[in-house]
Each structure stands twice: as C-alpha cells, then as structure tokens.
Amino acid sequence: MVMSSISKWIVDPRKNWFARMHMKSLSNRLRKYGLRYDDLYDPMYDLDIKEALARLPREIVDARNQRLKRAMDLSMKHQYLPEDLQAMQTPFRSYLQEMLALVERERAEREALGALPLYQRSIP
Amino acid sequence: MAIKRLLTLAHRSRQHNVTSTVRCLSTSPAVATSPPPPAPSPPPPTAMVYDRLAESVKSKLRQLENPDPRFLKHCSPHPVLVDHTKILSAPQTRVTTLPNGLRVATESNLSAHTATVGVWIDAGSRFETEETNGTAHFLEHMIFKGTARRSARDLEEEIENMGGHLNAYTSREQTTYYAKVMDKDVPRALDILADILQNSSFNENRINRERDVILREMEEVIAAAGAVKHEDIVEQVKKLFTKLSADPTTASQLVAKEPAIFTGSEVRMIDDDMPLAQFAIAFNGASWTDPDSIALMVMQAMLGSWNKNAGGGKHMGSELAQRVGINEIAESMMAFNTNYKDTGLFGVYAIAKPDCVDDLAYAIMYEISKLSYRVSEADVTRARNQLKSSLLLHIDGTSPVAEDIGRQLLTYGRRIPFAELFARIDAVDASTVKRVANRFIFDRDVAIAAMGPIQTLPEYNWFRRRTYWLRY
C-alpha cells in the first residue's frame, strides 16, 4: 500500500517537480508536430490497440489519422507546426485510454475462463 | 523590354498603395486603433465533433464500472451442477406384457385433451436381404392403401373427420406407425391401427413375404401417451391385436446371425463443380445397451455443433466450436453419436469451403484426440447440463413422449425414468470421459466419407495417425 502511494506520487505532475518537467517537455514536443499522446499508440505493435481503435467512432479515428498525416508531412519537410496552431494544441486530451483498458480487461477475463483468444499475433 | 514593363508595373502599384493608405488615414482615423486579435488558446472539449464523441464514449465506459446487479444475478460463466430430481417426478410409465408377447406402455396425462398412440416395431432396413431390399419402406406406403374393411378412401376420411394425424416412419432398426387424435377418439385410432397392421389387403404372396420381415410379435410395442388410461388401452389392444405373426425370430437373433462389423475405410467422391466440401469422420461407437453410451452422449455435447447462424458465434463453450468460429474454417460442423443394437458410430460431420478443409481437419482431429488426454471438469459439467436440457426440451407434447416410450422399450427393454437418466449422466466426470475416449478413440480405426472439392482433405493415414498424441 505504501509502495502504491509512493508510485502514485512519483508520476503525479501536481506533486512531483520531475513529473511536471517531463509532462511539459512531452507537451512541447507533441505540440511542435500537432500530435496527441494517444496518437502514439501503434495498432501494429499490439492487437489490443487495433481492437480498441476498431471500437471507437469513425470521426475519432479519422481525426487521429489526419493528425498523424499532418505530423508526417511536417517531419518530412523538417518543419514544425505554426506558432498560433501550436498554442491551440491539446496533447493530453485522451480518447483511447479507457477503451484500451476495457479491451485488456475483457481479454484477461476470457483467458481466465479458459477460452481460446479471439485474436493472436502471428510472427510474420 | 519586358523588364522595363515589369518595373513600371511595380512602381505603379507601389504608388497606388501609398495613395490608398493616405486616403484611408485621412478618412477614418478610428480604424487605425483596432484591438489586437485574441491570443490563440486550446479549444474547449465541445468544439470539435471528435472531442464530443470521445467524451460520450468515455462516459459510457464509465457506466460499465458499476454494473446493474439485476443482470448479473442469474448469469455465471462457470458451469454449475444443479440437482433436478424434484422436478423429474414425471407421470410414471406403466408397461403390461400381454400373453402373446405384445408390450403395452402408457404415460397417462389426463389433463391433456389429445393423445398419441402407436405401434413401434423392432424391424427396419438393417434386416433386409438382397431379395427383400426396400421392403420396409415399401410396406410403410402400402399399408395406407386399404384393408379388408376400409378402402383407402374410407381410411383417409375416417382420420380426417376425427381431425387426427396418421403417420409412419422407418429407420435402420425401427418401424413406427402412430396416430395423434383427440382424447375421445383413441379407441377408434387403435382400431384403425390394428386394422391396417393386420388386415391390409394387398397381394397374398406379398403379404407373406413382407409380413415375415416386419411383424414379429415378440419385439412389438404399443405405446400411448397423453389423455389415455393404461387399463383401457390394454383391454382394447387385447381385443384388437390378435392376428399378429407367430414367427419367433427376434431382431437380436437376426443381429447375432449377421453382426455389423466396423472396418476402417474411406469413401471420397471428388467433385470440383460443387461449391462446398462435406466430410464426416466416424469411430466405432457404443450400442444402445452399452454402459458407455451415456458417456459418448456427453462427449458429443462436449464437441458440440456450430454453424454460421449460431448466436454464440466465437463465444461458444465447446473448444472445437471456438476454433471453427474464430478462424472461420467451416460453414457448419456437428458431432454425431448414433447407436444401434450391437454397435454405434461416433464422429464429426462438417461442411466447409474448399480452401480451409485441411485446417478444419486439423482442428477436428486435435479436439477429438484431446478427449483422451486433457479434459477439464468445467467442460464436462457444461456438456452434462447441455445434454440434460436438450433431452428434456425435446420431450414437448404427446408425440415425442410416445416416441420416447416406444424407442426405449425396443432398445433398452424398459423406459428409463428421467431421474435415473440424469443420475447416469451425472456419473460421467472427467476421468470417465478420458477412459471412454481411450476405449473408443485412442489409436482406433476411423471411417471417412467425403464429397465435393476435397483435394486438400488429408489422406487416410493422416487421420489415423492423429487419433493419438505422442506428446504425453
């Protein structure tokens, strides 16, 4: 219990200066390319992320893809987003975390019941 | 030349700008001190449609944190055994054996207004020889063509006027003639049945040949269910069924003379013009009276069945159904378990598209051979519960009850009460399933039948090798 409260304090930006600095630097870097933190989750890395993205509404996934395309375009041109647009970014507004947690909970429950998994990675 | 033109153009436009700004300044001095545009800030979460949708998704997911307890009260994904003996005290089946060997069995339910009464005979296409091939079915048709007392038309009219059904069916080991009528018409239905079975008028030499095939008095049962009283039925049967054949050969003797021998074999009919491939893999099973027949029924429920219309989809209990559903390797699949007098068949029948036939064969043989090694208690409990409910759900109405009575009297010699049947099913646990699988499946010959586009279906030795594992 003590360990869990210490670990909660460590990562909380409101309590820990180092966590605050980390969040600020992450926020700056994401702002420069116009990305959100949830855009960094890769559906090809984990099939749970793919399933969670499949369950989200189409507009959210479309906005995510547009942000990723804009960031790829900026990176290709070695540019950053214009300053006024950078001020309007919301890098920590989340849309994926809860759905991902739900998908992982369901998979754990299915495995605990002894059923076969619904999807499996095949090594390419 | 062109450069000169461009330069004059630029000069002219610059002059134009200067004069226009001077003009602006002179006419509207208040515009010069317009307020600066507001600094850009992040938009609120309700500005863009994807943010609004994300908020609604998050609120719905938060609702899942506290589920409504009403929905969880009666559902549990863990199979549990429940004792049902209290509700299985169904009306008792009473059996009387008449002096001429005929057995009369009834299950009386006087609150019903209809009844089914019929004759179950222990004869079928199994006992036909080369000369008598097709007789059972032929006789079943001829018998409705008239008797000495009633012509075919009289027969039809009498049944129709009563509002009853008169029907018959033949299978490999049984022939049945039964009638479904209102309660007050049961004596007349019995009269009609006795008439058509004993006094049918067709060609005399045909009568002798064919009656010998089917009407053996020892193995006949008259079963009745519904609004019937046992004593009344017995009285009427005694009066009506007097001219049965005196041939003492029983079905058991015929079977002993020509037993059915299981041979590991295969029949394949390759036909690329068919869209789907169908195949069945069968092991030698148990006969009706084998004590392991119940265990084979439980194993059939463990393997289960699946088709694309099944509501369970990828989430069914049987692991074979899960493999088929998740990987989409079959159009439909079912495990079958047939019992005969001295033998049986146990296996799986599947219909699939031609490109996934080999994966389907692997999944089927994996699950079948797994029954000899790794059986979980939860799986057996689920299969037991499913078997019990499917047995009871099938007994709805007087006709299924009468058919159950007739079939059980011919195969077991008595009607097994449901409480005893459920006790026998409950006696099958994981170790019993493993023992029975070792007896019927482990390293035993299989019989394969396949038709359609089956080029990729593995050959016989492949299947025969996968009846056992070398990993344990």
Side-chain angles (χ1 to χ4, degrees), chain B residues 190-298:
Chain B
L190 265 179
D191 187 44
I192 292 177
L193 280 173
D195 204 16
I196 62 180
L197 278 174
Q198 297 171 107
N199 307 328
S200 271
S201 59
F202 32 82
N203 225 335
E204 190 57 42
N205 24 0
R206 285 235 185 105
I207 292 180
N208 295 330
R209 197 168 69 199
E210 292 165 10
R211 270 215 200 125
D212 287 343
V213 171
I214 85 153
L215 289 180
R216 260 171 275 108
E217 57 167 82
M218 302 291 274
E219 299 284 356
E220 245 184 67
V221 172
I222 310 251
V228 294
K229 277 213 194 119
H230 185 73
E231 297 80 15
D232 301 345
I233 300 283
V234 171
E235 283 310 311
Q236 282 168 27
V237 164
K238 262 197 217 150
K239 273 188 288 196
L240 295 168
F241 284 80
T242 47
K243 286 198 287 182
L244 296 174
S245 149
D247 187 356
T249 21
T250 60
S252 328
Q253 290 170 344
L254 282 179
V255 162
K257 234 179 7 175
E258 289 194 60
I261 304 176
F262 184 87
T263 318
S265 50
E266 63 170 7
V267 167
R268 290 174 191 230
M269 295 182 265
I270 302 185
D271 181 1
D272 280 330
D273 294 328
M274 291 175 63
L276 294 172
Q278 313 174 27
F279 63 96
I281 300 151
F283 291 84
N284 194 6
S287 64
W288 282 114
T289 46
D290 195 323
D292 288 336
S293 60
I294 309 280
L296 276 181
M297 284 190 220
V298 173

Side-chain angles (χ1 to χ4, degrees), chain B residues 279-283 303-304 320 333-336 346-350 364 368:
Chain B
F279 63 96
I281 300 151
F283 291 84
L303 291 174
L320 178 55
M333 174 277 297
M334 76 174 219
F336 59 87
F346 174 80
V348 173
Y349 166 66
I364 291 175
I368 290 183

Side-chain angles (χ1 to χ4, degrees), chain B residues 392-468:
Chain B
L392 271 188
L393 281 172
H394 183 65
I395 312 291
D396 53 351
T398 56
S399 297
V401 170
E403 196 200 307
D404 198 40
I405 299 176
R407 183 179 58 80
Q408 289 200 15
L409 277 179
L410 284 180
T411 53
Y412 299 123
R414 65 183 177 104
R415 174 128 198 258
I416 301 183
F418 277 109
E420 183 193 335
L421 187 59
F422 277 32
R424 282 178 191 268
I425 294 177
D426 282 335
V428 175
D429 57 354
S431 51
T432 316
V433 168
K434 278 192 266 202
R435 175 184 63 77
V436 171
N438 270 302
R439 179 182 160 195
F440 290 109
I441 294 175
F442 180 84
D443 198 14
R444 303 287 301 246
D445 282 337
V446 288
I448 307 173
M451 66 185 285
I454 45 168
Q455 276 85 357
T456 46
L457 187 69
E459 36 107 29
Y460 181 82
N461 284 320
W462 187 97
F463 282 100
R464 180 65 180 77
R465 161 62 179 91
R466 271 137 194 90
T467 54
Y468 58 89

Side-chain angles (χ1 to χ4, degrees), chain B residues 306-359:
Chain B
W306 187 89
N307 65 24
K308 283 187 158 175
N309 295 328
K314 303 178 182 178
H315 309 281
M316 296 185 101
S318 137
E319 196 174 311
L320 178 55
Q322 276 175 37
R323 269 176 204 270
V324 168
I326 290 173
N327 301 315
E328 293 170 21
I329 44 182
E331 304 289 307
S332 77
M333 174 277 297
M334 76 174 219
F336 59 87
N337 173 27
T338 331
N339 302 66
Y340 297 113
K341 262 194 140 45
D342 56 344
T343 180
L345 284 173
F346 174 80
V348 173
Y349 166 66
I351 304 179
K353 294 209 177 93
D355 52 351
C356 42
V357 160
D358 40 6
D359 289 329

